[in-house]
Amino acid sequence: IPVDVFDLVIFGGTGDLARRKILPGLYRRFRAGQMPRDARIIGAARSELDDAGYRALVAEAVREHLEPEKRDEESLAAFLETVHYVTVDARGDAGWKELCALIREGTVHAFYFSVAPSLFGDLAERLRAHRLADGKARIVVEKPFGHDLESARELNRTLARHFDESQIYRIDHYLGKETVQNLMAVRFSNILFEPLWNAQYVDHIQITVAETVGVAGRGEYYDKAGALRDMVQNHMMQLLCLIAMEPPYRFDPDAVRDEKLKVIRALKPLTARDIVRGQYDAGPGIPSYREDVGNPDSFTETFVAMKVEVSNWRWEGTPFYIRTGKRLKARASEIAVVFREPPHAIFGQPRDGQGNVLVIRLQPNEGINLWVRIKEPGPGGMRLVEVPLDMSFAEALGPAAAEVPEAYERLIMDVIRGNQTLFMRGDEVEAAWAWIDPLIADCESCGEPPILYEPGSWGPEESAMLMHREGRRWREIR
Ligand code: BG6
């Protein structure tokens, strides 16, 4: 279903994120018929370009970042007609009049701040001064949303001076991933899982977001952030919230976000001693992290593993183990809900306290599988084996699965529709910082370097130890 006609201004429209995600994503929605032909995309940045120059940049971005089967020249040419460009000075007056002239009355107005957070205030002021953003305009902001609690509060205050919370769309692209939304669908639309979804029946939960890439090219940002700020404060936290939250009374932005906020507020504080921090070393033909970022003394972590506890009625006694890292063995993200064993083993099977496992695979091969025990086929008596009840979305949905929008596509369309459910509210972001800030401060002040790990491994041995100590182990991810 096409969304309403919109004028979308992308500040930072020539930047890396615009080229890799925003523009190819918009093109995909255009090609799928969801973006109206008379919508307008207006790139705005400092570079001196005209419409033709920007269109060439957009075409190149689409060709570079979308596989051939996801694009065709005819629809790309039509898409480019919706694209415009203005050179604007975020801190001065240049370009704003031209921008005003491109924005039409009666369309949905959205402004994407794909720029450094230090420019948010300037952009917001100028949008107001030029009467570009009225009470119905939408503002989209990217992570990193602050560097700590104080800076996140400051950003929230800056935005709040000019816009109402209902106009602000803070992106965490993990919330736009298909399977992440499926997590909510599976939990809240089947009777099978929810009655068991608590400490009485769940032994523990594992959340893994593993990447094979390093951070070459992003060193300047990453070396000041590290995995705790880059992945845990936002993406990992969001995944944890969706698993742990109470059922919202309906699938409505504030109802969902209220429940997520309660989870964040219930997290037990952690100290540096409770977590494993790692940093990738050099491997054959692979530079070390320190070489990648050009900082031979860096203490920044590229891997973390930790046990997180949610202190509330539902989860007391069920740990959430989370780990994420760069240059690991595989690019794989999954959530595993490991249930307890039945109370009594009538087949005399060995027991380790852990039974069925529900695995939600975010990427690659999105899908869900449920591991159940059955009788091993054959005459060998009542021997048990574990088999998966497997649902791969690609198989189950056939060609429709290929049309599933990627995270950014979906989120931008949600902005146009005015649906904030998959965006973070200001208080949520602040609560996440409030939880992680003391942990980061403790890591920084304890002066311990991160443990070096081999590229292509699953991180430092200590990460496995974290589980072994408690009679558990990370699930093998293939
Ligand atoms: C970004 C982080 O938010 O998410 C990156 O800044 C990370 O460091 C990326 O690589 C992972 O996203 P995805 O969608 O590739 O899992």
Side-chain angles (χ1 to χ4, degrees):
I1 308 169
V3 295
D4 291 342
V5 177
F6 61 85
D7 293 333
L8 167 68
V9 179
I10 309 173
F11 293 110
T14 54
D16 183 58
L17 183 77
R19 279 185 290 178
R20 270 187 312 115
K21 299 284 183 188
I22 307 174
L23 294 162
L26 282 162
Y27 164 68
R28 286 249 291 165
R29 290 299 92 210
F30 180 88
R31 190 172 180 239
Q34 199 176 17
M35 173 181 150
R37 289 186 163 242
D38 44 355
R40 232 175 227 182
I41 297 167
I42 305 158
R46 262 182 318 188
S47 317
E48 297 283 345
L49 281 176
D50 56 9
D51 281 358
Y54 190 57
R55 286 176 184 174
L57 177 148
V58 174
E60 194 190 300
V62 167
R63 291 191 194 110
E64 187 180 338
H65 297 290
L66 289 179
E67 298 87 21
E69 65 277 13
K70 293 188 179 159
R71 57 181 154 86
D72 65 87
E73 290 300 316
E74 195 185 324
S75 65
L76 180 56
F79 173 69
L80 292 178
E81 283 177 29
T82 69
V83 173
H84 303 262
Y85 184 81
V86 260
T87 307
V88 285
D89 180 0
R91 298 207 155 116
D93 289 325
W96 288 90
K97 257 203 215 118
E98 291 77 355
L99 186 58
C100 289
L102 279 170
I103 295 177
R104 300 161 294 177
E105 286 225 356
T107 57
V108 174
H109 297 172
F111 300 91
Y112 202 127
F113 289 11
S114 181
V115 294
S118 54
L119 289 177
F120 287 5
D122 293 297
L123 286 178
E125 259 162 43
R126 279 171 181 74
L127 284 176
R128 277 295 194 207
H130 292 274
R131 296 180 201 287
L132 273 170
D134 59 11
K136 284 190 286 184
R138 287 148 210 179
I139 305 300
V140 187
V141 293
E142 271 295 330
K143 80 171 260 275
F145 197 82
H147 188 70
D148 54 14
L149 177 59
E150 201 32 59
S151 51
R153 277 200 181 132
E154 185 51 41
L155 285 179
N156 276 336
R157 277 196 292 262
T158 302
L159 292 174
R161 271 199 290 280
H162 303 280
F163 307 106
D164 187 67
E165 180 64 34
S166 62
Q167 299 180 269
I168 304 170
Y169 292 73
R170 294 178 195 76
I171 290 205
D172 182 313
H173 77 281
Y174 266 58
L175 290 178
K177 289 187 190 267
E178 183 70 11
T179 329
V180 174
Q181 291 161 73
N182 237 319
L183 180 60
M184 287 187 274
V186 166
R187 266 194 76 184
F188 301 130
S189 64
N190 296 289
I191 192 75
L192 217 52
F193 303 109
E194 201 47 30
L196 305 180
W197 210 262
N198 55 52
Q200 197 182 342
Y201 296 105
V202 178
D203 179 71
H204 72 278
I205 286 157
Q206 305 184 5
I207 306 177
T208 299
V209 175
E211 298 182 273
T212 50
V213 290
V215 298
R218 299 174 69 212
E220 203 187 320
Y221 152 75
Y222 196 90
D223 207 35
K224 291 198 203 86
L228 285 169
R229 289 191 176 92
D230 184 51
M231 295 296 289
V232 178
Q233 186 272 345
N234 37 73
H235 307 324
M236 305 297 278
M237 191 74 12
Q238 290 294 326
L239 296 179
L240 188 148
C241 281
L242 296 181
I243 304 227
M245 72 183 186
E246 296 302 312
Y249 71 91
R250 55 191 278 197
F251 194 58
D252 157 280
D254 280 327
V256 170
R257 297 184 301 177
D258 286 346
E259 296 307 335
K260 288 197 291 166
L261 180 62
K262 287 186 209 159
V263 174
I264 304 174
R265 290 196 172 143
L267 296 178
K268 262 199 198 148
L270 290 176
T271 65
R273 266 172 303 136
D274 301 321
I275 75 167
V276 177
R277 294 168 66 243
Q279 186 188 75
Y280 63 82
D281 204 352
I286 299 173
S288 69
Y289 171 76
R290 292 174 182 198
E291 286 163 333
D292 270 347
V293 301
N295 177 2
D297 304 316
S298 176
F299 271 24
T300 301
E301 76 285 343
T302 59
F303 176 96
V304 277
M306 60 177 95
K307 175 171 122 177
V308 181
E309 289 170 273
V310 183
S311 299
N312 66 13
W313 197 278
R314 187 188 281 261
W315 292 117
E316 192 66 52
T318 292
F320 289 68
Y321 298 94
I322 67 181
R323 61 174 171 168
T324 180
K326 308 270 182 208
R327 284 243 190 275
L328 297 183
K329 188 165 183 180
R331 177 172 191 262
S333 302
E334 65 167 52
I335 300 169
V337 181
V338 182
F339 290 91
R340 297 189 192 280
E341 280 187 308
H344 174 60
I346 69 166
F347 306 111
Q349 68 269 35
R351 292 166 67 77
D352 64 0
Q354 294 162 41
N356 303 109
V357 185
L358 177 71
V359 180
I360 299 136
R361 257 191 336 259
L362 308 186
Q363 57 201 23
N365 311 327
E366 307 186 329
I368 294 182
N369 57 47
L370 177 64
W371 290 80
V372 294
R373 289 179 183 158
I374 59 163
K375 179 188 165 303
E376 192 174 56
M382 261 304 184
R383 297 230 312 242
L384 304 180
V385 283
E386 286 184 6
V387 293
L389 293 179
D390 203 343
M391 188 179 88
S392 144
F393 296 153
E395 271 170 40
L397 304 177
E403 295 310 318
V404 168
E406 283 192 15
Y408 272 92
E409 302 174 35
R410 173 186 315 268
L411 294 176
I412 297 170
M413 290 299 109
D414 278 358
V415 171
I416 306 301
R417 287 196 205 97
N419 184 344
Q420 285 185 306
T421 311
L422 300 176
F423 296 83
M424 292 176 300
R425 211 167 51 190
D427 51 3
E428 240 186 291
V429 180
E430 288 184 16
W433 280 119
W435 176 73
I436 210 162
D437 257 9
L439 172 60
I440 295 177
D442 197 35
C443 294
E444 283 170 358
S445 71
C446 79
E448 287 266 328
I451 306 160
L452 293 178
Y453 61 92
E454 250 178 76
S457 68
W458 284 110
E461 260 307 292
E462 284 74 359
S463 155
M465 293 299 298
L466 179 90
M467 300 286 265
H468 286 175
R469 276 205 300 270
E470 306 191 339
R472 301 179 173 116
R473 61 187 168 77
W474 292 109
R475 285 176 46 77
E476 197 181 326
I477 297 184
R478 265 157 279 173

